[in-house]
Amino acid sequence: MAVDDPAMGLGPVIKALSPELSVHSSPSDSISAITSAFRDPSTSSPEAASTDVTTPSSNSSLHSNFRRKLKRNRIILSCQACHKRKQQCDRGRPCQRCVSRGSADRCTYEQAEELGKRKQVEPSFPEDLSERVGHLEGLVSSTLSSLEPSALAGLDALIQLLSTNHHALANRQALLSVPGVTINDSAVQVAAAALGQLSQQVIQEPAPSATPFGPIADILHHIRGSTTAPGLASLSDLQSHFPNQKVTTYLLSYYFDQSSHHWVWPVIHRPCFDNYYRTFSSGPLPPSMEYIALLAITCSTALQFLPESDQDAITFADYPQGRRVLKQRLAEFSASVLFTSADYPSSSIERIQALIMYSIYQWNECNAAESWYVASLAIRMAQTLAMNRDGTSTWRMRPQDAEIRRRLWWILYTIDRCHSMEYRRPYLIMEHHTDVQLPMNLDQVDVLDLPELVGKPLEEPTDSLFLLLQSRLQQICGQIWDQCFSVNVPAYRVVIDFEEQLRKFERELPATFIYQSTQTTIARPYLSFQNQLMIIEICNTRVQLLRPFLFIHPTKDSDMNELSERDRKVCHFHKYAKAICLAFCKRQLALMCLYSTQSLSRGQNAWAGLALVVFKPALMLGIAILMDTRNPENEELEEWISLAQGVLISMKPQNALAGKALQHLDVVRKRTQFVLGVTGHCHVEYDEAGEQIPCKGPMPMEPQRRIERATRILSQPQPSLVDLLGHEVVADPLWSVQRAGVFAGHFPGIESLSGPVSSADLENFLDSCLSMQSRLPHTFTF
C-alpha cells in the first residue's frame, strides 16, 4: 500500500469528525510525529540526525558549513528562460511568456514532465518493527484521544453494528484508546493503512454521498481501512445501515408536515434545520456529530408515528431490512453519540435538541425511567449554556437567536413540570433562577434575522401558540406541585384557589384557538389537535388536584346531624370535591373517546400520554367504587371503565402503553365486579356446587354507545367548588386553617405501567385504598 504524506490524510478526518468543536491538543504536533514515524529511520530518527551533525568535527565553522550542505535543494518549477529572466512562469509547455517572445521551441524545464508527478513508493519500514510499532502506538493513541468524545462515540456506534466477535471488539478499543492504554499491533497497522488511504483520498474531489448519513460511513471506512477481521461484515455495505437520501427526505417531510410530534413539541427550528440539511447533503461539507444524532433520532421519531400500511413496501424498498430495523438502528446510533463518552460532552443547541427528542422518544416507547433521566441531562446542559437567562435582555443576542433559545428553554420547562407532576419528583428549573420571557406568538418561518421581532396577538393563531399556552399552564402546575404535592400538605383554601385558577385559564383560551373556521382548519390542520390536547391536559390537571379526596370514606346522611357545623362543612367539601373529580374523569374519557374515532388519530396514537390519560380516570372511577360500595351510581361508573377499556383497545396497535394499561384495567375490573356483585349491583352466577363464579365483567362498550355517552357528558356544564359550596361558604376562614391530609397518598403513574405488569402490586394498592382513614391516611406508594 502506498503511503505518500500521512499529514495530508489525517486532517480531513479531524475536520470531519469535529468540524466546529475544539481539540484539546494541537493536531499538527501529532501529525508531524506520525509523519516522521513513517519515513526512513535514517532521516527521521533523532539519534541518527544528531550523529550525522556531530560526526564531521566539533569545530563551529565546520559545523555551520555542514549544516549549509544539508539545505534542501528546491526544484525549479519555472522554465529555464523565465527562471533566468526572473519572470513569473505559468508552467505551460510551452509557457505563455516564451510564446509571446517567439521562442516556444526553447521553452525547456530542468525536470522532465514524468518526474513532475509525485512518486508513489512503498513505505520503508524499519527492520525492528516491534520497536517502531510501539512508538507509533502512542502517537495514534494521542491523536485519537484529542478528538471530541462524541465523534469517537459515533464511530463506536457504527462499529457495534458490524462487530460480532472478540477480534472486532479489540479493533474498537483502538479507536477509543487514551494515552497510557495498550493497543495491539493489529490496531496500529490498521491506523497506518488508514493514513495511506486518506493520503490518496484527499487528492480526489469527494463525490456527494448517496445518503445523508454517508459522511459517517465514509469516515469509518477510511479509519478502518480495507482490512476485514474474521466475522466482520464488508465495510463497503456500511451505508446500507442508514436510509438513503430518498427515504430520509420522506421521513423528514412526514415528521414536520403530518406527524403531531412537531405540533406538540417544536424542538427543532425547521428553517435552520432545513438550511443545514441542504448544505451538507448536497456538498462535501460534513456535518457535526450532534447534528447527525439529531437527524437520526428525528427520522426514528417519524417512524414511531408513521402508521404501518401496504405503502411501506414501496416507500422502504431501498431499505431491505425493513422499517422496524431502521427505527431501532437510528435510535441506537443517536444514543451512542449522545451518551457513549468518556468525558463530559460539550454543550450545544443541537445536542440539547437531540436529547429532548430522545427523551420524548423513550417516553412513547414506554421507557419512563430513561425518559426522565435523559430530560434531566438536557436541562443541565441548557443551564451550562446559561439558557435560563433571556437572550435579548441579558445577553444582547440577535432577536432570532434569542427567540430560538427562548422556545427551547420553555420546552424544557414544560417537560420538567410535566415530569414533576407525573413522577412525583422535584423539578430542576426554579422560577427564581430564570428570567426568560415567554415565546413570541410567531410562526417559525417568521422568526427571521431582523433587528426586531414583534409577536402577534393571541387572537391570531400560529404554530407556536400552543407552546405559549402550554407554558402558562405548566406555570400553574408548578405552583400546584409546590403547594400541594411537595413536603407539606395543602390547606383547603389552596385547593379552592387552584381549582378556580384552572377554570379561569380554560375560559380565557383564545377563541380562534378553540373554534376554527373551515379556511383556518385547511391552512392550519394542527390547531384542532392542539385544542383537543389542551382541553384534555386541563381536565387531567383538575383530576390530579382533586383525586386525593377519593380516599376519604363518605359520611352517611344519618350521621351528618351528629356532627358540628365545622365538620359538616368539611364533609360537604369532601363530597363536592369527589363529585367534581368524577365528573372530570368522565369528561376526560369522553374527550378521548371522540378523539379515537377521528381519522387523524391513527397517525397520532403513538403518544403514550394519551393512553395514560385514559387509564388514570378509569382507575379513579374504580377507586370511587371501592371506597363507596353503596353508591347507587357505581353501575354507571363501571360502564365508564368499560368505555375506557374500549378506547385503549382501539389505540393498542399504535400505542406501546395501551397494552399494559389494558392489563391493569383487567385487574381493576375484576375487583370492582366482585364488589358490585357482593352489593347486588350486578348479576352474580353460581356453579352447581352453589359457589359464586368469578364475574368476568361485561365486554367493552360498543363504539356507537361510547360516542353517544361521550357526547351527552360533554354537553353538560362543568362544575366547580365555588359553584357547589357557594360564595358565602367559600369565604369562610376555616379553609385557610384546615389542611387536607389525603395529599400524602400516591397513585400509580407512568412508571407502574412502563415496567412488567404485576397483578400483586396493583392488588396491594387497591387493598391500601380500603385501609385509608378519613382524617390522616397512611402514606403508600405503588
Side-chain angles (χ1 to χ4, degrees):
M1 181 178 297
V3 177
D4 184 34
D5 189 358
M8 297 177 62
L10 194 58
V13 177
I14 297 178
K15 197 176 293 184
L17 287 176
S18 184
E20 59 180 348
L21 301 176
S22 61
V23 180
H24 301 293
S25 59
S26 176
S28 59
D29 300 336
S30 301
I31 293 173
S32 59
I34 295 178
T35 305
S36 62
F38 276 92
R39 292 175 179 170
D40 186 36
S42 61
T43 58
S44 61
S45 173
E47 293 82 356
S50 61
T51 304
D52 294 340
V53 172
T54 58
T55 299
S57 174
S58 59
N59 187 274
S60 59
S61 61
L62 294 177
H63 182 70
S64 61
N65 292 334
F66 182 73
R67 288 200 312 186
R68 280 197 297 271
K69 292 181 181 180
L70 291 179
K71 284 187 178 179
R72 187 166 142 187
N73 293 327
R74 298 184 178 274
I75 300 175
I76 300 175
L77 300 179
S78 303
C79 68
Q80 293 184 2
C82 291
H83 179 66
K84 291 179 180 179
R85 291 177 171 82
K86 296 183 180 181
Q87 295 178 340
Q88 185 177 3
C89 181
D90 60 3
R91 303 175 187 177
R93 296 180 184 271
C95 69
Q96 192 63 30
R97 290 188 180 275
C98 291
V99 173
S100 61
R101 286 193 296 265
S103 58
D105 55 339
R106 291 192 295 273
C107 183
T108 59
Y109 290 82
E110 182 180 358
Q111 187 179 14
E113 181 177 1
E114 59 271 15
L115 295 179
K117 298 181 180 179
R118 304 188 67 178
K119 296 182 179 180
Q120 304 293 335
V121 297
E122 294 293 331
S124 56
F125 288 95
E127 297 180 358
D128 189 6
L129 182 60
S130 59
E131 180 180 355
R132 302 297 298 156
V133 163
H135 179 61
L136 181 60
E137 174 182 339
L139 298 178
V140 173
S141 175
S142 61
T143 302
L144 293 176
S145 64
S146 66
L147 299 179
E148 208 276 327
S150 63
L152 296 179
L155 298 177
D156 181 46
L158 292 173
I159 294 175
Q160 291 181 16
L161 295 176
L162 302 178
S163 300
T164 56
N165 54 17
H166 178 72
H167 184 77
L169 186 62
N171 289 338
R172 273 180 52 203
Q173 297 297 331
L175 290 176
L176 299 178
S177 59
V178 295
V181 179
T182 303
I183 307 178
N184 51 19
D185 295 344
S186 61
V188 178
Q189 294 175 1
V190 169
L195 292 175
Q197 289 187 354
L198 288 174
S199 64
Q200 301 298 322
Q201 183 69 18
V202 74
I203 301 176
Q204 303 175 358
E205 182 70 19
S209 177
T211 166
F213 300 91
I216 302 299
D218 296 338
I219 291 169
L220 182 63
H221 179 73
H222 292 325
I223 290 185
R224 296 299 300 273
S226 60
T227 59
T228 54
L232 193 63
S234 175
L235 290 177
S236 61
D237 298 332
L238 180 61
Q239 292 189 1
S240 64
H241 290 273
F242 300 102
N244 58 15
Q245 187 85 19
K246 176 183 176 182
V247 176
T248 304
T249 304
Y250 171 78
L251 293 177
L252 293 178
S253 176
Y254 178 82
Y255 172 80
F256 286 111
D257 298 330
Q258 301 183 44
S259 76
S260 60
H261 194 284
H262 189 61
W263 300 348
V264 180
W265 301 109
V267 179
I268 302 174
H269 187 67
R270 186 177 183 180
C272 295
F273 184 89
D274 290 344
N275 291 336
Y276 200 179
Y277 179 76
R278 286 192 298 267
T279 299
F280 87 82
S281 61
S282 60
L285 179 65
S288 64
M289 291 298 298
E290 286 80 3
Y291 183 83
I292 291 293
L294 177 60
L295 178 62
I297 194 60
T298 303
C299 293
S300 185
T301 302
L303 289 168
Q304 191 180 51
F305 281 81
L306 179 64
E308 296 185 3
S309 62
D310 298 336
Q311 188 69 19
D312 292 346
I314 301 176
T315 305
F316 301 98
D318 298 335
Y319 196 84
Q321 295 87 345
R323 53 174 290 172
R324 296 186 179 181
V325 175
L326 176 61
K327 170 187 169 185
Q328 181 181 1
R329 284 178 173 174
L330 291 176
E332 290 177 352
F333 169 78
S334 180
S336 299
V337 174
L338 296 175
F339 310 119
T340 309
S341 177
D343 301 326
Y344 182 79
S346 59
S347 302
S348 65
I349 297 296
E350 294 169 352
R351 181 177 285 273
I352 295 173
Q353 291 173 329
L355 287 172
I356 297 175
M357 295 286 293
Y358 188 82
S359 175
I360 301 174
Y361 175 86
Q362 292 300 331
W363 173 276
N364 293 325
E365 287 293 310
C366 207
N367 299 324
E370 188 170 1
S371 174
W372 182 81
Y373 172 74
V374 175
S376 64
L377 291 181
I379 293 173
R380 290 305 190 196
M381 188 160 290
Q383 290 172 340
T384 61
L385 294 180
M387 294 178 64
N388 60 307
R389 304 302 304 274
D390 191 76
T392 302
S393 60
T394 304
W395 305 121
R396 301 295 187 268
M397 291 182 174
R398 295 184 302 177
Q400 182 187 33
D401 297 337
E403 179 63 20
I404 293 175
R405 285 167 54 102
R406 188 181 295 127
R407 296 185 178 197
L408 194 60
W409 174 258
W410 280 105
I411 289 175
L412 290 171
Y413 179 94
T414 301
I415 293 176
D416 193 28
R417 293 302 187 267
C418 290
H419 284 182
S420 179
M421 293 290 291
E422 187 57 44
Y423 291 85
R424 289 294 186 268
R425 295 171 184 169
Y427 50 74
L428 296 178
I429 300 177
M430 303 296 175
E431 292 279 359
H432 56 278
H433 290 164
T434 179
D435 60 354
V436 182
Q437 301 177 8
L438 287 172
M440 293 183 181
N441 187 30
L442 285 174
D443 292 311
Q444 284 193 345
V445 294
D446 294 333
V447 182
L448 304 174
D449 190 6
L450 300 175
E452 183 180 3
L453 292 176
V454 180
K456 300 178 181 179
L458 295 182
E459 289 72 20
E460 187 172 349
T462 64
D463 56 15
S464 62
L465 179 59
F466 178 75
L467 175 60
L468 176 60
L469 298 176
Q470 195 179 39
S471 301
R472 291 182 175 179
L473 177 60
Q474 294 308 318
Q475 286 180 320
I476 302 175
C477 292
Q479 298 172 12
I480 293 176
W481 163 258
D482 290 336
Q483 302 186 40
C484 298
F485 299 104
S486 56
V487 178
N488 301 321
V489 294
Y492 282 70
R493 170 66 60 190
V494 174
V495 179
I496 296 174
D497 292 341
F498 278 129
E499 202 264 346
E500 187 66 18
Q501 193 172 351
L502 289 171
R503 185 171 71 157
K504 180 182 178 182
F505 177 82
E506 183 176 2
R507 286 180 174 179
E508 293 179 352
L509 290 176
T512 54
F513 181 74
I514 302 177
Y515 310 104
Q516 297 93 32
S517 62
T518 305
Q519 296 178 351
T520 304
T521 303
I522 296 175
R524 301 179 183 272
Y526 48 82
L527 286 177
S528 177
F529 176 78
Q530 291 175 345
N531 175 39
Q532 293 176 349
L533 190 60
M534 177 61 66
I535 300 301
I536 290 174
E537 287 187 4
I538 296 174
C539 290
N540 182 52
T541 306
R542 296 181 76 169
V543 169
Q544 286 182 301
L545 178 64
L546 298 176
R547 68 183 181 180
F549 294 101
L550 295 176
F551 290 138
I552 299 179
H553 289 284
T555 304
K556 298 179 181 179
D557 295 337
S558 58
D559 298 336
M560 293 289 290
N561 297 330
E562 300 177 0
L563 299 176
S564 62
E565 182 67 22
R566 176 193 181 103
D567 291 340
R568 280 199 298 269
K569 290 182 179 180
V570 174
C571 289
H572 283 299
F573 186 98
H574 297 163
K575 178 181 178 180
Y576 296 147
K578 288 192 290 184
I580 296 174
C581 178
L582 296 179
F584 277 98
C585 285
K586 298 175 185 178
R587 189 175 186 84
Q588 191 169 334
L589 291 175
L591 291 170
M592 286 302 305
C593 177
L594 295 181
Y595 166 79
S596 63
T597 60
Q598 298 176 0
S599 58
L600 179 66
S601 62
R602 184 171 178 266
Q604 321 303 340
N605 279 339
W607 288 109
L610 295 181
L612 193 62
V613 298
V614 175
F615 167 75
K616 290 193 296 184
L619 178 62
M620 300 305 104
L621 298 176
I623 293 175
I625 295 175
L626 298 180
M627 298 300 299
D628 189 3
T629 58
R630 299 296 177 180
N631 186 4
E633 299 179 357
N634 284 344
E635 189 173 356
E636 181 193 2
L637 299 181
E638 173 63 24
E639 292 180 357
W640 279 100
I641 300 177
S642 175
L643 183 145
Q645 200 172 16
V647 174
L648 288 174
I649 291 175
S650 64
M651 298 174 60
K652 185 178 179 181
Q654 293 86 28
N655 197 292
L657 196 65
K660 296 184 178 181
L662 281 171
Q663 298 180 44
H664 280 72
L665 275 188
D666 289 338
V667 178
V668 175
R669 294 202 69 187
K670 289 179 181 179
R671 176 65 70 92
T672 57
Q673 284 293 309
F674 175 78
V675 172
L676 294 176
V678 171
T679 57
H681 285 84
C682 71
H683 178 68
V684 180
E685 298 181 357
Y686 298 89
D687 56 12
E688 298 179 356
E691 296 182 359
Q692 179 180 340
I693 299 176
C695 185
K696 299 180 181 180
M699 295 297 293
M701 191 179 297
E702 295 294 332
Q704 187 61 32
R705 285 190 60 196
R706 294 203 303 262
I707 296 176
E708 294 176 357
R709 186 178 291 268
T711 305
R712 185 170 63 252
I713 199 67
L714 291 177
S715 63
Q716 298 177 1
Q718 303 181 33
S720 68
L721 286 172
V722 175
D723 295 339
L724 296 181
L725 290 174
H727 293 278
E728 183 179 353
V729 178
V730 168
D732 196 321
L734 165 67
W735 310 122
S736 301
V737 180
Q738 187 77 17
R739 294 192 173 271
V742 289
F743 280 84
H746 296 272
F747 287 83
I750 181 66
E751 287 182 298
S752 64
L753 297 178
S754 61
V757 177
S758 176
S759 301
D761 292 341
L762 186 55
E763 291 284 356
N764 293 335
F765 168 76
L766 297 176
D767 291 339
S768 66
C769 296
L770 301 177
S771 65
M772 302 294 290
Q773 302 297 322
S774 60
R775 292 289 180 168
L776 187 61
H778 300 291
T779 301
F780 55 90
T781 58
F782 179 74

